[in-house]
Amino acid sequence: MGAEKIIIDCDPGQDDAINLLLAMSSPAELEILGITTVAGNVPLEFTQRNARLICDVADRGDMRVYAGCPRPMVRPLLTAEKVHGGTGIDGIEVGTPKQPLQQRHAVDFIVDTLLAADDASITLVPTGPLTNIAMAIVKDPSILAKVRRIVLMGGAMREGGNFSPSAEFNILVDPHAAQVVFECGRPLVVMGLDVTHQVIATRERVARIAALANPAALATAGMLGFFNRHDSKKYGYEGAPLHDPCTVAWLLCPELFDGHDCNVVVETASPLTMGHTAVDFWGVTGRRPNATWVHAVDADGFYDLLVERIGRYST
Ligand code: RIB
Ligand code: CA
């Protein structure tokens, strides 16, 4: 079996950035066809710049970065500078990337790439609001036949919301896009807060990464140094949950995780619970399962994987 063909759609964001570094460290398992960016943690002009900067850190001039949608499908943009800082990747120096931005719109890149692919051959890995993915599906629904699976970070069940009492940020920012994706009919693997809140970037874990002393490791440790401050205070954890790298870690080592096939529906009407993911974990509605809801992870194994892969970058 050759490397899995993937498109990563993201809103860097320190955790998105670390997910990119994890993916780029593993060319034997993952063939990254492109990195598409979307407005989310910070506006699009910054998320696309940040993705390009991380390609510079990884010394991957072969990567192709595309800018996508600058706002959600229906709602106004909600951003998270209070979590990620004004640049979106506070914790490292943010200058002008060497990596160019591709001229094609991210949605067109996704559509064109999928249309040219074999059936069920490309995995989508969204770690931000799902606007680009949904717009690609709306633009040309025939692309769905080419999607092998969608492994996304978003949603919450027992953990409750992180940006409203009942909604996780990625889904809350663009619940209408999330509804399109959750109804698309392709295999979904969903990493919600219930599992991401189990992979806390503790001081000891950050120190292990910093000790690797290559540019990717130093950038990862620097970003975590900033990223840790907000959620530590908010939740009382000794570090921040490393949300987005759960997606690539699952692709690399699914055995680290436990999931349960069930029905997930997104709230798109209630002002009070907008963006809530109604996860029918116990099958009480009789609705057809449309997702594998990942609810548990071997956190030590996750960080062993992250340290080993980030350690592959040369000093
Ligand atoms: O709620 C966590 C998610 O929102 C992560 O993807 C983080 O990067 C932000 O986009
Ligand atoms: Ca993200």
Side-chain angles (χ1 to χ4, degrees):
M1 185 79 163
E4 184 163 358
K5 297 181 189 300
I6 68 171
I7 296 173
I8 301 177
D9 186 73
C10 54
D11 63 333
Q14 288 88 351
D15 55 330
D16 303 77
I18 295 165
N19 194 44
L20 291 176
L21 291 171
L22 181 58
M24 289 189 276
S25 76
S26 307
E29 296 97 332
L30 301 173
E31 181 186 350
I32 304 170
L33 303 180
I35 297 169
T36 54
T37 56
V38 68
N41 286 321
V42 287
L44 178 65
E45 65 182 293
F46 298 150
T47 57
Q48 61 89 347
R49 176 207 57 198
N50 295 344
R52 293 158 57 206
L53 279 169
I54 295 304
C55 291
D56 290 350
V57 168
D59 193 22
R60 291 295 299 273
D62 60 314
M63 280 294 124
R64 296 287 174 269
V65 178
Y66 300 83
C69 297
R71 51 149 295 184
M73 294 177 85
V74 175
R75 287 165 59 86
L77 178 61
L78 173 68
T79 55
E81 287 85 352
K82 69 179 178 182
V83 179
H84 298 274
T87 70
I89 50 172
D90 281 26
I92 61 171
E93 191 183 325
V94 178
T96 303
K98 291 201 304 273
Q99 184 80 1
L101 178 68
Q102 300 302 310
Q103 289 316 301
R104 207 171 3 162
H105 192 286
V107 172
D108 294 330
F109 167 75
I110 293 168
V111 171
D112 296 345
T113 303
L114 286 169
L115 286 179
D118 295 334
D119 282 359
S121 65
I122 294 179
T123 294
L124 304 179
V125 186
T127 62
L130 292 161
T131 316
N132 288 342
I133 308 300
M135 293 292 281
I137 294 169
V138 168
K139 180 173 183 184
D140 191 336
S142 72
I143 66 173
L144 285 171
K146 309 303 183 73
V147 174
R148 175 177 173 184
R149 52 194 178 182
I150 301 174
V151 184
L152 70 93
M153 192 278 140
M157 188 175 94
R158 297 189 181 97
E159 275 300 292
N162 61 359
F163 248 73
S164 83
S166 51
E168 177 278 325
F169 179 78
N170 288 338
I171 309 300
L172 177 62
V173 169
D174 199 340
H176 304 91
Q179 184 179 51
V180 169
V181 172
F182 277 83
E183 292 179 352
C184 78
R186 298 305 295 148
L188 299 181
V189 177
V190 184
M191 302 283 168
L193 298 181
D194 298 65
V195 67
T196 69
H197 280 193
Q198 296 175 38
V199 286
I200 301 303
T202 63
R203 272 191 293 275
E204 181 271 335
R205 288 164 171 168
V206 176
R208 282 178 69 196
I209 294 168
L212 298 168
N214 64 49
L218 296 174
T220 298
M223 288 188 285
L224 286 175
F226 181 87
F227 189 51
N228 276 352
R229 86 212 187 293
H230 179 272
D231 281 7
S232 307
K233 207 181 303 171
K234 176 175 175 180
Y235 295 108
Y237 297 153
E238 193 219 333
L242 205 34
H243 306 286
D244 295 333
C246 286
T247 58
V248 166
W250 184 88
L251 285 171
L252 295 174
C253 291
E255 64 277 11
L256 292 173
F257 298 85
D258 281 333
H260 175 66
D261 291 348
C262 55
N263 181 269
V264 181
V265 175
V266 180
E267 175 61 64
T268 58
S270 160
L272 177 64
T273 58
M274 181 65 74
H276 173 69
T277 43
V279 180
D280 185 8
F281 196 85
W282 303 115
V284 297
T285 66
R287 288 195 291 258
R288 177 187 63 81
N290 60 338
T292 299
W293 179 260
V294 180
H295 56 87
V297 60
D298 167 2
D300 288 334
F302 171 90
Y303 277 94
D304 288 347
L305 171 70
L306 186 63
V307 168
E308 189 274 321
R309 295 296 167 113
I310 298 295
R312 293 186 179 188
Y313 285 96
S314 54
T315 51

